[in-house]
Amino acid sequence: MARRRKNKTHLKATSKDVSQSSAPKSFIIKHGQVGHSITQLVRDMRKVMEPNTASRLKERNRNKLKDYLVMAPALQVTHLLAFTLTDVAPSFRMVRLSNGPTLSFRIERYSLMKDLLNTTKKARSIGMEYLTPPLLVLASFPTPGPDTPPHLPLVMKAFQSLFPSLSPQNLTLSAARRVVLVAYNPERGTIDFRHYIITVKPYGVSKRVRRVLEGVSSKGAPSHVLDLGNEKDVADFVLRKRGEPGPDGYESASSAESVAGDDGDAVNLADDYVGRNNKKGQRRAVRLDEVGPRMELKLVKITEGVPGKEGAVMYHEFIRKSKKEVAEQKAAHAAKEKLRKQRREEQERNVARKKAEKEKGKGKKATEDDEDEDEDLDEDEDFGSDREGDEESVWDEEEEISEGEDSEDEEADESSEDEQQLQRPTKKVRIKGKR
């Protein structure tokens, strides 16, 4: 039994590791000179795409878009989201690595996370919600058909590929903490991007009743006993409107219950969920709190390939081409790609040829060096014999110079000097060194 349990846990761990490794990963960068708002928008988008994104990626001014395209496959990055600022409006590009396509959007309007949090009464703290990827919801997109614009299904697939696919067998209820909503607006022809956090509250009770049930005081501090010392009746605390004293300010029970949500928002929890008293089988009201960022995107064009290696234009919002122009464009791209391959093959041949010549030159130089060493050894032997003869000849010349009367007088002077040096007391030689 123990061995079976161990095998089951091992299988669960391996399946989880495989799902995490197969999840799409992304780089979110700013390209070119952008302002403070676009920089903050890049940071907010990194929060949305966590945990499968490089949230601490630092861009430098000397980094080019090609650098990210080269390094991304080595790091198993599947998407590149690039924000830039143009003369018309901010631009957003979604690149599918490593062969494309590339979707270019124009950002019509956007709001940052801090802007949306400042508009809400209750500020939310960023915490454990970002440890799991968000759920993707596609809304208002037309169903594929003959009358459907051909670019919309491709846009849907592009956004679907950004997030990991759902597996109901392995997905736990507590892992569903956030929602990304991508909605198509047919009237304006734009795409709305929204980001929400899922909150679960008790259904059918007001906020004051929840305080009674959960045992939380009015000041927000946890307590087992509710402080009703300032109230004359429990109805004053449960039913009275805030800031209106007396029975005239009471609200009805139906309005108090509607605060927590309608019947359409209530669900029975299939499993334990995060939060207090959110146990399996309990009826709870589900609410989405928008935390941002919020963007309204306008699709400009879709191209094959990646930036720097663009292929044919699959869709363009402002330019329409005839079939003849499309065929000519495809032929031009095919010729360009053929020329690129030929140049690459020629470059590889040149590199191989130079490498072979270099190795051949090294071998030839090594043989020449060996021959030079052998010749040097022979010359050294001859030089040694000549040197001995030279020493003998020099020695003979000295003997010839030492003959004669003058030389005898000099020898006498030298012998007297030698005697004087022998008579002098010898001095002790001191050697300076470290002690």
Side-chain angles (χ1 to χ4, degrees):
M1 290 295 292
R3 184 176 296 176
R4 287 182 180 178
R5 290 177 182 174
K6 186 176 181 180
N7 293 335
K8 287 182 179 180
T9 55
H10 177 68
L11 289 174
K12 288 181 180 179
T14 53
S15 62
K16 186 177 181 182
D17 295 339
V18 169
S19 63
Q20 289 180 355
S21 61
S22 61
K25 299 177 177 60
S26 60
F27 275 164
I28 304 176
I29 62 171
K30 59 180 185 294
H31 181 55
Q33 296 294 331
V34 298
H36 176 72
S37 299
I38 300 298
T39 303
Q40 187 62 39
L41 181 61
V42 170
R43 295 174 184 171
D44 293 346
M45 281 297 296
R46 289 177 182 175
K47 296 297 294 181
V48 175
M49 300 303 297
E50 282 188 359
N52 298 321
T53 187
S55 57
R56 297 183 180 180
L57 181 64
K58 294 183 179 179
E59 306 96 331
R60 297 180 180 178
N61 294 330
R62 64 174 178 267
N63 291 136
K64 298 180 180 180
L65 196 60
K66 184 180 178 181
D67 300 335
Y68 299 102
L69 296 175
V70 171
M71 291 300 299
L75 301 175
Q76 298 180 355
V77 176
T78 58
H79 290 82
L80 177 67
L81 308 181
F83 290 83
T84 185
L85 187 62
T86 63
D87 298 334
V88 179
S91 177
F92 168 62
R93 279 190 290 183
M94 184 190 305
V95 184
R96 182 69 168 90
L97 301 174
S98 57
N99 297 322
T102 301
L103 283 75
S104 300
F105 298 92
R106 185 178 64 198
I107 303 177
E108 301 288 344
R109 291 176 292 181
Y110 69 94
S111 299
L112 302 177
M113 274 187 173
K114 62 178 183 180
D115 300 332
L116 294 175
L117 293 178
N118 290 335
T119 58
T120 58
K121 296 180 180 179
K122 183 179 180 181
R124 293 189 58 88
S125 62
I126 299 174
M128 306 295 288
E129 296 89 358
Y130 296 92
L131 296 179
T132 54
L135 307 178
L136 177 65
V137 177
L138 297 173
S140 303
F141 279 92
T143 56
D147 298 334
T148 305
H151 65 278
L152 290 181
L154 185 57
V155 173
M156 294 174 61
K157 292 180 181 179
F159 279 102
Q160 286 177 350
S161 64
L162 277 176
F163 304 94
S165 58
L166 294 179
S167 178
Q169 293 81 8
N170 298 328
L171 180 65
T172 58
L173 187 61
S174 59
R177 305 292 300 275
R178 295 181 293 133
V179 171
V180 170
L181 175 63
V182 178
Y184 176 69
N185 188 353
E187 297 178 357
R188 296 174 55 88
T190 57
I191 298 172
D192 296 330
F193 186 91
R194 302 285 189 272
H195 182 220
Y196 301 92
I197 289 180
I198 301 174
T199 57
V200 175
K201 298 293 182 182
Y203 171 74
V205 294
S206 63
K207 185 177 181 180
R208 299 182 182 89
V209 175
R210 287 204 307 269
R211 288 178 180 176
V212 176
L213 297 176
E214 297 177 359
V216 180
S217 64
S218 60
K219 296 180 181 180
S223 176
H224 295 287
V225 180
L226 192 64
D227 186 11
L228 299 177
N230 297 328
E231 305 294 342
K232 296 180 179 180
D233 191 358
V234 68
D236 296 339
F237 178 78
V238 175
L239 299 177
R240 189 179 61 196
K241 294 182 181 179
R242 183 174 297 178
E244 295 185 7
D248 295 336
Y250 288 167
E251 59 184 355
S252 62
S254 60
S255 63
E257 291 179 357
S258 65
V259 175
D262 299 330
D263 293 335
D265 300 333
V267 294
N268 294 324
L269 296 179
D271 199 355
D272 295 344
Y273 196 72
V274 293
R276 183 176 296 176
N277 298 328
N278 294 329
K279 302 298 181 180
K280 181 178 180 180
Q282 296 290 331
R283 191 167 182 80
R284 291 290 183 267
V286 180
R287 188 176 62 184
L288 299 179
D289 294 336
E290 187 175 3
V291 293
R294 178 190 298 180
M295 291 189 297
E296 185 178 356
L297 305 174
K298 179 74 173 180
L299 181 64
V300 177
K301 67 176 180 178
I302 303 175
T303 58
E304 296 177 353
V306 297
K309 297 180 181 179
E310 293 91 348
V313 178
M314 304 171 64
Y315 169 80
H316 204 288
E317 178 68 20
F318 307 108
I319 299 175
R320 296 289 186 271
K321 293 186 177 181
S322 61
K323 294 182 179 180
K324 183 179 180 180
E325 292 176 347
V326 172
E328 292 177 354
Q329 185 182 14
K330 288 183 179 179
H333 282 295
K336 185 177 179 181
E337 187 66 23
K338 184 178 179 180
L339 180 62
R340 183 184 298 170
K341 288 182 179 180
Q342 291 177 356
R343 289 180 177 178
R344 187 179 300 170
E345 292 175 357
E346 184 179 358
Q347 186 178 7
E348 290 177 356
R349 288 195 298 268
N350 292 335
V351 171
R353 179 176 55 81
K354 290 180 180 179
K355 188 176 181 181
E357 290 177 357
K358 189 175 181 181
E359 291 178 355
K360 187 177 179 181
K362 284 183 179 180
K364 186 176 181 181
K365 186 177 181 181
T367 54
E368 290 178 356
D369 293 341
D370 295 337
E371 293 176 358
D372 293 338
E373 288 178 0
D374 296 337
E375 293 176 358
D376 293 339
L377 289 174
D378 296 337
E379 290 176 358
D380 291 341
E381 291 176 357
D382 298 338
F383 178 74
S385 60
D386 295 339
R387 188 175 180 184
E388 290 176 358
D390 294 339
E391 289 179 354
E392 290 178 357
S393 61
V394 171
W395 182 257
D396 294 338
E397 289 176 0
E398 289 180 355
E399 286 182 350
E400 291 176 359
I401 292 171
S402 61
E403 291 179 355
E405 296 178 357
D406 298 333
S407 61
E408 290 177 359
D409 298 334
E410 292 177 357
E411 287 177 359
D413 295 336
E414 290 176 358
S415 61
S416 61
E417 290 179 359
D418 293 338
E419 290 177 358
Q420 291 178 1
Q421 288 179 358
L422 290 172
Q423 292 176 0
R424 293 176 184 172
T426 58
K427 292 184 180 180
K428 203 173 198 180
V429 180
R430 294 184 181 181
I431 300 173
K432 293 183 181 180
K434 296 182 180 180
R435 296 180 180 180

